[in-house]
Amino acid sequence: MTLPFDPIDEAARQWGLRWDGVPAMHAVTTLMRVQQLVIGRLDAILKPHGLSFARYEALVLLTFSSRGSLPLGKMGERLQVHPTSVTSIVRRLEAAGLVERKAHPDDGRAVLAEITPAGRAVVEVATRDLVDADFALGALSDADLATVSSVLAPVRKAAGDF
């Protein structure tokens, strides 16, 4: 159901009657709502492939690696997720036959995730679907997308992402 008003604008109006920080409250509430919308759409696009966006990202990361494999710890760093999340993601991908877990040849304590041919095939098809859907951001122009990325980069940098 489409509302006749923007509920975030109304929340900001109400917020301003009580507290400071309206611009930040409005921005973060907008970000969170857009994140819900985008993740919902991306997950719907990826579901027929048996993937969530997190599992898709892991497969893409392995596709980008020179050998098609990475230690789980390195995956966590690159995906910026907790080690237990990586383990869960890799287990789900392994159960689907999209990755294999292997002992690290040089470090007996480390485990590698290696993408399988089936995993590579799924990445190709899923990526085509995501690109065709403009990653659920088709309402924005390329210039707008670049602006969103550049405006949010300082927040990520301040948080230590890079």
Side-chain angles (χ1 to χ4, degrees):
M1 173 176 112
T2 302
L3 295 174
F5 63 93
D6 182 340
I8 295 174
D9 287 347
E10 177 57 19
R13 187 186 72 74
Q14 293 285 340
W15 184 279
L17 297 173
R18 292 166 181 80
W19 303 296
D20 293 331
V22 172
M25 173 274 178
H26 195 284
V28 78
T29 305
T30 299
L31 281 169
M32 296 303 289
R33 178 61 182 144
V34 170
Q35 189 260 355
Q36 289 173 334
L37 294 168
V38 170
I39 287 295
R41 180 72 183 117
L42 296 179
D43 282 345
I45 292 166
L46 293 169
K47 187 175 183 175
H49 304 293
L51 297 174
S52 64
F53 194 71
R55 291 193 296 275
Y56 170 77
E57 284 184 303
L59 287 176
V60 169
L61 178 63
L62 292 172
T63 300
F64 288 165
S65 69
S66 60
R67 293 188 178 107
S69 65
L70 286 170
L72 298 190
K74 180 71 73 183
M75 288 181 71
E77 290 172 16
R78 300 267 172 87
L79 295 171
Q80 299 172 314
V81 297
H82 193 273
T84 56
S85 295
V86 173
T87 300
S88 174
I89 289 167
V90 169
R91 282 188 180 141
R92 299 278 304 264
L93 291 170
E94 185 178 34
L98 303 177
V99 301
E100 293 178 356
R101 290 164 42 112
K102 297 185 172 188
H104 193 294
D106 303 323
D107 181 352
R109 298 168 298 162
V111 174
L112 296 175
E114 183 175 299
I115 192 166
T116 64
R120 289 184 187 278
V122 166
V123 166
E124 293 300 323
V125 175
T127 298
R128 189 169 42 251
D129 289 349
L130 290 170
V131 170
D132 288 348
D134 296 318
F135 284 87
L137 293 172
L140 299 176
S141 68
D142 286 350
D144 290 338
L145 294 169
T147 298
V148 168
S149 294
S150 65
V151 164
L152 295 177
V155 176
R156 294 183 52 232
K157 188 171 184 177
D161 269 5
F162 59 94

